[in-house]
Amino acid sequence: MKKSINLSLGLALALGITVFPTMSYADEEETEGYEKVSTEEHEVAGEEFNLEKWQNPDGTTIYTIPTEVENKEEITDYVDEITEDSNESTPFKTASQVEAEAGVPIKWSYSGLSNTDSGKAKIVTSASGYSNHVVNEKMAVNKGGKIEGWYLPNAVADSIKLRYSYTFSGTVLSISKSPSLTKQNSTVSWAGPTIKKQFYSKTSYESASASGIAMFSTTIKTSAEVVKGGIIYRPSTTKKISFGGSGR
């Protein structure tokens, strides 16, 4: 984590935040195929908290904060910075590699797309991808970006579970995807584990692409299932990207 902590310290200085990252230690907890591989102790703006890292055999990574804190915005900004592009699965070809090999891809991206449910739970997402036309038309979502699920009051949720999916529209001939994604017809999806006693959970998108004679759009859906006191909050976002990169 040395590189990540250096980045975070720069951000913290710019924001005037006091940061004291301390020891890291392994934890043998496991839930739904995800093992808690480390717990780090940090201090931001005078509040101490733990940052947990979970991984499955595919390399998909989830970060969670189980500590009850008051300065959630400052703490999650800090965590977002040090956990940027957290997933470690083998990526597909990047847009720049595609550009070098055949044609110029039309790139797209969005950030800060968010939604809340009842003022209690929030989801925040960012993603990027490209489309191009070589032999067939192709649309892809890049590895990276982020999905964050929050419980907003000054407490931890009973549990948080993150989900996302990509639905490709058009005459789809083939779909390539990361091993961590599940494919059904023209949709690929991911559902994370239900991790208990957290107020914040974050992961990154895995890569997928579709090729066809005529590709129309990719629809990206994300959601968080946040449970507190027997009530389930489900904030969600939907973003439709048309072939050529325009979004709505």
Side-chain angles (χ1 to χ4, degrees), residues 105-110 129-132 138-140 215-220 238-248:
I106 303 169
K107 302 174 185 179
W108 57 264
S109 65
Y110 63 85
Y130 65 90
S131 57
N132 68 349
K138 181 177 183 178
M139 297 194 72
M215 296 298 300
F216 303 143
S217 64
T218 304
T219 300
I220 302 173
T238 299
K239 185 73 171 180
K240 185 175 182 179
I241 308 295
S242 299
F243 185 84
S246 61
R248 55 190 174 90

Side-chain angles (χ1 to χ4, degrees), residues 31-32 52 54 62-66 72 120-122 148-153 155-163 192-202 223-235:
T31 181
E32 299 174 34
E52 299 175 338
W54 304 75
I62 301 172
Y63 288 95
T64 58
I65 303 175
K72 288 188 174 182
K120 299 290 188 180
K122 180 171 74 171
E148 297 175 316
W150 292 49
Y151 181 64
L152 295 172
V156 296
D158 296 338
S159 65
I160 299 177
K161 182 184 184 76
L162 302 177
R163 302 175 188 267
T194 300
I195 302 180
K196 297 179 179 179
K197 301 301 180 184
Q198 315 290 329
F199 85 82
Y200 172 87
S201 183
K202 176 189 176 183
S223 65
E225 185 176 284
V226 181
V227 180
K228 182 66 175 179
I231 301 173
I232 303 175
Y233 304 98
R234 292 188 174 94

Side-chain angles (χ1 to χ4, degrees), residues 119-144:
K120 299 290 188 180
K122 180 171 74 171
I123 191 164
V124 181
T125 71
S126 301
S128 66
Y130 65 90
S131 57
N132 68 349
H133 190 173
V134 186
V135 177
N136 291 313
E137 294 183 344
K138 181 177 183 178
M139 297 194 72
V141 180
N142 292 333
K143 169 183 162 64

Side-chain angles (χ1 to χ4, degrees), residues 49-63:
F49 66 95
N50 289 338
L51 175 62
E52 299 175 338
K53 180 180 181 179
W54 304 75
Q55 277 189 327
N56 73 351
D58 290 331
T60 302
T61 301
I62 301 172
Y63 288 95

Side-chain angles (χ1 to χ4, degrees), residues 9-245:
L9 289 173
L11 174 69
L13 289 173
L15 296 175
I17 300 172
T18 303
V19 179
F20 299 100
T22 57
M23 66 178 292
S24 175
Y25 51 91
D27 195 314
E28 296 182 352
E29 288 186 41
E30 186 173 342
T31 181
E32 299 174 34
Y34 284 76
E35 181 184 359
K36 189 195 295 182
V37 296
S38 68
T39 301
E40 292 186 355
E41 298 174 351
H42 295 257
E43 182 178 337
V44 172
E47 285 197 277
E48 296 180 354
F49 66 95
N50 289 338
L51 175 62
E52 299 175 338
K53 180 180 181 179
W54 304 75
Q55 277 189 327
N56 73 351
D58 290 331
T60 302
T61 301
I62 301 172
Y63 288 95
T64 58
I65 303 175
T67 313
E68 187 173 321
V69 297
E70 293 183 0
N71 297 306
K72 288 188 174 182
E73 289 283 352
E74 290 177 314
I75 287 171
T76 53
D77 282 348
Y78 165 76
V79 169
D80 185 34
E81 177 73 10
I82 68 172
T83 59
E84 186 177 1
D85 293 332
S86 59
N87 278 355
E88 298 173 6
S89 302
T90 302
F92 284 85
K93 294 178 181 178
T94 64
S96 59
Q97 288 173 313
V98 173
E99 180 175 333
E101 292 174 10
V104 179
I106 303 169
K107 302 174 185 179
W108 57 264
S109 65
Y110 63 85
S111 63
L113 181 64
S114 66
N115 199 6
T116 60
D117 183 354
S118 304
K120 299 290 188 180
K122 180 171 74 171
I123 191 164
V124 181
T125 71
S126 301
S128 66
Y130 65 90
S131 57
N132 68 349
H133 190 173
V134 186
V135 177
N136 291 313
E137 294 183 344
K138 181 177 183 178
M139 297 194 72
V141 180
N142 292 333
K143 169 183 162 64
K146 69 177 181 182
I147 307 100
E148 297 175 316
W150 292 49
Y151 181 64
L152 295 172
N154 289 334
V156 296
D158 296 338
S159 65
I160 299 177
K161 182 184 184 76
L162 302 177
R163 302 175 188 267
Y164 65 84
S165 67
Y166 320 139
T167 299
F168 298 100
S169 175
T171 308
V172 179
L173 300 178
S174 65
I175 291 179
S176 299
K177 65 177 185 65
S178 164
S180 61
L181 301 178
T182 300
K183 176 180 174 293
Q184 184 175 14
N185 300 321
S186 296
T187 298
V188 296
S189 61
W190 175 86
T194 300
I195 302 180
K196 297 179 179 179
K197 301 301 180 184
Q198 315 290 329
F199 85 82
Y200 172 87
S201 183
K202 176 189 176 183
T203 192
S204 300
Y205 290 106
E206 288 288 353
S207 301
S209 63
S211 297
I213 298 172
M215 296 298 300
F216 303 143
S217 64
T218 304
T219 300
I220 302 173
K221 294 183 178 182
T222 61
S223 65
E225 185 176 284
V226 181
V227 180
K228 182 66 175 179
I231 301 173
I232 303 175
Y233 304 98
R234 292 188 174 94
S236 63
T237 64
T238 299
K239 185 73 171 180
K240 185 175 182 179
I241 308 295
S242 299
F243 185 84

